[in-house]
Amino acid sequence: TGLPQFENFIVFEVASGISTNVFRLVNQEIEYYLRIAPEGENISTEALIHVLAAQTGVLVPSCIYYEDFNSNLSRSFMVTSKIVGQPVIERPRENSAIVAAAGKDLARLHSIKIGGFGWFDVKTPHCKKLTGAFSSYIEFIFNGLNILDRISVLKEKEVLSKDVSDKIHAFILDSAEKLDFTQAALSHSDLNNEHIFFNGESYSGLIDFGDACAMSTYHDLAKYFLNEPEDYRALLQGYLEINPLPAGY
């Protein structure tokens, strides 16, 4: 592996379902996962996310060890425990109970409140606090995502008609006050059935926090609805048991 503390482990690359370079470390007694940060980035932010989530009761891989920079890998890396089981996407049967349990864990994750909105700093070593890069949700939408510029590009390329793009543009501007959430939560930001695990008939945990950010609590719910519409109601049912949403959400 190039890591002396894991020299007795066999390394297998994980090919799918992840947003970071991930490898399985296996010996006769135990199995870990090695997550390697992209060049120029630091894994300590993701390590802190795992620690905070676990402290809140969310079933996530435990952070066993991490380094801000390893000379053998020329990268920052983290080693985590294994979540037992398989992803829900591989389950041929009905998933409502398992997905509802994942919804409860998502609500627990959202109980972790974050200052600022948007992406976390992944450059600074030894991260001690999670903070979004933008001071408000509106600043993130307009200056981080450059949403109005993107709409203009789609209009210029004739993906959207002028009438439709102008209506979207006006809707976003008119709705800015409603979109200006005052408090961000820790968001998984890539929630789908590849990242929800089950073991037997039971939910066993969430994986892959490589895209996590500071966002509205609605962000994960909306993304899951787009990714997994058939299982959305089950996820929402579990979520609402832990974190009731305001009327008219």
Side-chain angles (χ1 to χ4, degrees), residues 138-228:
I138 290 300
E139 184 187 5
F140 171 65
I141 292 293
F142 290 157
N143 299 333
L145 296 179
N146 296 315
I147 190 69
L148 299 182
D149 291 341
R150 294 185 181 203
I151 293 170
S152 296
V153 169
L154 292 175
K155 180 173 67 174
E156 290 171 5
K157 294 185 176 181
E158 298 183 347
V159 175
L160 296 175
S161 69
K162 182 180 184 304
D163 180 59
V164 170
S165 64
D166 288 348
K167 286 180 179 178
I168 295 173
H169 192 284
F171 175 79
I172 292 173
L173 293 177
D174 291 342
S175 303
E177 184 176 343
K178 295 179 181 178
L179 291 172
D180 199 10
F181 304 106
T182 57
Q183 177 63 65
L186 179 55
S187 171
H188 183 284
S189 201
D190 190 24
L191 191 64
N192 57 56
N193 285 347
E194 285 189 274
H195 299 148
I196 298 173
F197 268 53
F198 73 97
N199 185 36
E201 297 300 316
S202 301
Y203 163 74
S204 57
L206 299 176
I207 70 163
D208 192 6
F209 289 81
D211 290 329
C213 61
M215 195 55 63
S216 155
T217 54
Y218 300 110
H219 178 71
D220 279 328
L221 294 173
K223 289 202 74 170
Y224 189 79
F225 174 75
L226 293 174
N227 290 329
E228 312 290 350

Side-chain angles (χ1 to χ4, degrees), residues 3 5-6 25 31-35 43 61-67 77-81:
L3 306 173
Q5 59 271 58
F6 300 103
L25 303 178
E31 181 173 342
Y32 294 134
Y33 279 75
L34 169 66
R35 300 178 65 85
I43 204 81
S62 299
C63 178
I64 305 297
Y65 181 78
Y66 88 90
E67 288 187 14
F77 78 90
M78 170 175 67
V79 175
T80 73
S81 63

Side-chain angles (χ1 to χ4, degrees), residues 72-91:
N72 291 320
L73 298 176
S74 297
R75 295 283 196 282
S76 176
F77 78 90
M78 170 175 67
V79 175
T80 73
S81 63
K82 174 186 177 181
I83 290 290
V84 177
Q86 299 82 40
V88 166
I89 198 171
E90 296 179 4
R91 179 181 166 88

